[in-house]
Amino acid sequence: MTQPQPQPQPQLAEPLPYHRLARLAPLYRWWRPLLGTLVVAVAYMITLIVLMILSTALGVALGYPEDDDGWPEFGPVTGTALDLLTLAAGIPVVLLAARWIGGRPAGSLSSVTGRLRWRWLLLCLLTALPILALAMGGMLLLPADGEPEGQWVGGAAFGRALAMLLVLVPLQAAAEEYVFRGWLTQTAGAFLRSPWAALLPQAVLFAAAHGWGTPWGFADLVVFGAAAGWLTWRTGGLEASIALHTVNNLFAFGVSAAVVGGLDSEETAADADWQLVALDVASIVLYTAAVAWWLRRRRLDRTAPAPAPVHPPAVPLPFPYAYGAPVPAQWPGHPAPGAPLPPQWPGQHPAAGAPLPPQWPGQHPVPGAPVPPQWPGQHPVPGAPVAPDAGADGVDRA
């Protein structure tokens, strides 16, 4: 007898690193990341227009003075808060695009686990604080290049500004990470397997989004974007880059808020000179090395399980099938496989497992049934005891 051959098992897809998570969608198609990027850009522009209209209406209603262009002047603290809110609006935009257009969990932008790992984020924040504080202290000791020293804004004004920054800067920094290290990196990673091929374009776009200042400032932003991208890929999530970006911006905005007119300045990191860039790059490298040191002592998930294959739903057939062939309609006396047997009638061949009908004299005995008594002249039943031999005259000749 031939033995059944084992069926080959289906080959499972490989786990996905962070930059490939756009392929996490069960119904992934190549056009989803591209269409999602277009939707993100259009939706964010619409969000900015809506926020500008609302803020303008609010400023007019509250009686704020207008500038030369007719926009309300909210002041440094309120104006900075509105700017930070417009940047923070990018978070819901990309999360909804990942869910609705990408066809995947929105949390796949946060990490390979589908969420932000808050303990890991807190550890990265505590790691970044002393490193960037040391770098900021060194920047404050640099010569001012002939610029007049800033005037202290006062304790009350600084306290209000600091409270606003502590609430909104983490949202603004996280939004930039979700857009550049999250959405753009995963969009490139949907087509490119190499992590560096997916990370470098977003670093250049990140620098360009801050404006074209000095070559040193642009290079500093590229280094920041590349380091944050590497941390995201290496740790499997945005936590390390969010911590670096948040602490860096809190120090930068905090120093600006401490002096009169500091928050009104239009200078960005793109306008930095080489001394500031040297200190900033050193702090970025030191923080990256510290996170890599932590990774050798902590276990973090770096890949997400491959999406399960989607099987099409079973379609009910208009008629039953048996062994691949249609079963004809049943008629009386033709039992269907598995159907209850019809009642038996006398003389019918007994069905398997059915009770035997009663026997009558002269009937052929059913196998296993008791043999009826024999009468003289009857042909002996096989296996029955033989009657004594007698002649025609009735005399026993045994």
Side-chain angles (χ1 to χ4, degrees):
M1 184 176 65
T2 59
Q3 297 294 331
Q5 297 297 324
Q7 297 295 326
Q9 297 296 324
Q11 183 68 29
L12 298 178
E14 61 180 2
L16 299 175
Y18 180 85
H19 70 290
R20 303 276 288 170
L21 289 187
R23 290 180 168 266
L24 196 60
L27 298 177
Y28 171 78
R29 298 295 183 270
W30 65 268
W31 49 265
R32 286 184 181 271
L34 301 179
L35 177 61
T37 302
L38 178 61
V39 171
V40 166
V42 174
Y44 184 66
M45 292 301 299
I46 294 175
T47 303
L48 288 184
I49 294 173
V50 172
L51 290 177
M52 290 176 61
I53 293 174
L54 293 177
S55 62
T56 301
L58 180 63
V60 172
L62 296 178
Y64 280 93
E66 297 181 356
D67 58 13
D68 297 337
D69 298 326
W71 299 102
E73 290 185 350
F74 292 100
V77 177
T78 306
T80 302
L82 291 175
D83 292 339
L84 295 176
L85 280 174
T86 56
L87 293 173
I91 296 178
V93 171
V94 295
L95 291 180
L96 292 175
R99 184 68 186 91
W100 292 345
I101 308 300
R104 56 191 171 105
S108 59
L109 282 170
S110 300
S111 73
V112 294
T113 63
R115 58 180 178 84
L116 278 177
R117 298 163 291 188
W118 292 102
R119 292 184 179 180
W120 173 241
L121 176 61
L122 178 60
L123 179 60
C124 292
L125 285 170
L126 296 176
T127 303
L129 274 172
I131 296 174
L132 271 67
L134 183 63
M136 182 58 66
M139 293 178 186
L140 294 177
L141 296 177
L142 292 175
D145 294 335
E147 297 180 2
E149 293 186 0
Q151 181 182 355
W152 167 244
V153 74
F158 179 72
R160 290 192 299 270
L162 186 60
M164 178 271 298
L165 294 174
L166 287 173
V167 173
L168 295 182
V169 164
L171 297 177
Q172 169 263 328
E176 294 188 14
E177 294 305 310
Y178 271 98
V179 171
F180 290 97
R181 259 64 71 184
W183 182 269
L184 292 180
T185 296
Q186 291 182 355
T187 298
F191 306 97
L192 304 171
R193 282 185 170 273
S194 170
W196 281 112
L199 295 175
L200 289 179
Q202 62 81 24
V204 176
L205 292 174
F206 174 74
H210 287 75
W212 301 93
T214 65
W216 294 104
F218 188 85
D220 182 30
L221 289 167
V222 171
V223 171
F224 184 97
W230 183 85
L231 287 171
T232 299
W233 168 77
R234 181 65 179 81
T235 62
L238 293 175
E239 297 88 356
S241 62
I242 289 176
L244 174 63
H245 204 153
T246 298
V247 175
N248 178 82
N249 284 13
L250 278 175
F251 279 126
F253 278 107
V255 170
S256 299
V259 299
V260 176
L263 292 177
D264 291 329
S265 175
E266 297 182 356
E267 290 188 359
T268 67
D271 302 311
D273 54 23
W274 70 269
Q275 294 95 336
L276 293 176
V277 170
L279 286 173
D280 194 41
V281 170
S283 66
I284 293 171
V285 172
L286 186 58
Y287 172 78
T288 304
V291 172
W293 183 83
W294 278 118
L295 287 175
R296 290 195 293 268
R297 286 154 179 80
R298 293 179 63 90
R299 182 184 178 276
L300 284 179
D301 292 328
R302 295 182 53 194
T303 58
V310 177
H311 299 287
V315 179
L317 299 175
F319 45 82
Y321 270 71
Y323 304 107
V327 176
Q330 306 301 315
W331 58 87
H334 187 281
L341 295 173
Q344 308 296 315
W345 58 87
Q348 182 188 19
H349 190 280
L356 296 174
Q359 308 296 315
W360 59 87
Q363 182 188 19
H364 191 279
V366 180
V371 179
Q374 308 295 313
W375 58 87
Q378 181 188 19
H379 190 279
V381 180
V386 180
D389 188 13
D393 54 359
V395 179
D396 186 1
R397 294 179 175 84

